[in-house]
Amino acid sequence: MISGTIKINKMKKIILFLLLFMAAALYCRAQNSNDMQARFKFQDAQTAYDNGDYSTTLSKLGEVQKLLGNANPKILYLRIMAEYKSIDFADEYANIPLLRALKKNADTYMQKYAANAGEDKARDIYEINEEMKQYSDNPDTYKGIATYRNGDTATALITFTKEANAGDATAMVFLGRINYQRRSYTEAM
C-alpha cells in the first residue's frame, strides 16, 4: 500500500514537472514571437523616422513598447528624437502633451541610459535635455497655456499671475504676452 502511494506521488510530481516545463516552453515561444514582432515594428519605426514621418515613428514605437512591456535605450532614444522633430518650435505650445513627454523622456534617458550610451547618442539627448530645461515642470502653467490658447485670457491671466508669483519663468513669459496684448505695457515689463 505504501509503495503504491509513493508511485502515485512520484507520478504527480513528474506530471507537474512536465506541465511546468510545457508552460515555460510556451511562454518562451510567445515571448520570442513578441520579440520578433517588436524587432520588425522597431525597424518600421526607424524607417519612418529616416523618411521624416515622425508620427508613424511614435506610433510604431508605442506598439513596440506594448509588445515588450517597457522601453529600452534604443526605443527611448528614437522616441526622443522623433518627439523633438515633431515639435514646431515656432509654436512649441501647440502640442503641450508632446512637449511634456519630450521633456520627461529626455530627462529619463539622461538619468538611466546616458552613461552607457554611445557618445553621439548621449550628446544628442543631452542637448535636447538642456533645451527642455527652459520649459516649465508645472502642470498648472500648462493648464494656463491651454486656457490661453483656447481664448480664455481672463482665466489664463489668473493662472499665470499665480504661477509667475511662485517663480515659474514660463508663466512669467505668458503673463508678459497677455499684458502686452492688453496694451498694459507697464505690467508686461
Side-chain angles (χ1 to χ4, degrees):
M1 184 75 168
I2 294 176
S3 159
T5 305
I6 292 174
K7 286 182 183 179
I8 292 174
N9 285 338
K10 282 186 178 181
M11 288 299 287
K12 285 181 181 179
K13 287 180 182 179
I14 291 172
I15 291 172
L16 181 60
F17 174 76
L18 289 174
L19 287 174
L20 288 173
F21 180 77
M22 289 173 52
L26 288 173
Y27 175 78
C28 289
R29 183 174 177 166
Q31 191 63 37
N32 287 340
S33 174
N34 282 351
D35 288 348
M36 185 66 69
Q37 284 182 332
R39 264 190 234 116
F40 292 152
K41 288 189 183 292
F42 183 82
Q43 289 170 353
D44 292 346
Q46 183 68 56
T47 300
Y49 180 83
D50 292 342
N51 292 330
D53 185 354
Y54 307 119
S55 177
T56 299
T57 301
L58 294 171
S59 175
K60 291 292 181 185
L61 290 173
E63 293 175 34
V64 171
Q65 281 184 244
K66 188 174 180 179
L67 284 168
L68 296 179
N70 60 8
N72 62 39
K74 284 175 64 174
I75 294 168
L76 192 55
Y77 174 82
L78 189 56
R79 174 173 294 288
I80 292 166
M81 297 308 291
E83 287 170 345
Y84 184 77
K85 299 248 182 172
S86 295
I87 294 175
D88 174 10
F89 283 97
D91 187 15
E92 66 267 37
Y93 294 106
N95 192 337
I96 292 171
L98 183 62
L99 184 67
R100 291 184 73 191
L102 173 59
K103 184 173 174 56
K104 179 182 173 225
N105 288 335
D107 190 53
T108 298
Y109 188 94
M110 290 305 296
Q111 289 178 19
K112 287 186 173 181
Y113 304 122
N116 297 322
E119 189 173 333
D120 291 342
K121 288 185 176 187
R123 170 57 80 179
D124 289 343
I125 304 304
Y126 169 78
E127 289 174 359
I128 290 171
N129 193 48
E130 288 297 304
E131 187 174 339
M132 292 296 102
K133 287 181 180 178
Q134 69 181 307
Y135 299 104
S136 178
D137 289 325
N138 187 339
D140 289 336
T141 297
Y142 287 105
K143 288 176 189 172
I145 294 168
T147 302
Y148 173 72
R149 291 182 63 80
N150 288 330
D152 187 354
T153 306
T155 303
L157 184 63
I158 293 167
T159 301
F160 292 139
T161 301
K162 177 182 161 229
E163 300 309 322
N165 287 337
D168 189 302
T170 302
M172 291 177 196
V173 168
F174 276 90
L175 186 59
R177 283 184 188 178
I178 291 173
N179 286 322
Y180 179 79
Q181 289 170 343
R182 292 172 53 213
R183 304 293 189 248
S184 180
Y185 299 115
T186 55
E187 290 181 43
M189 300 310 256

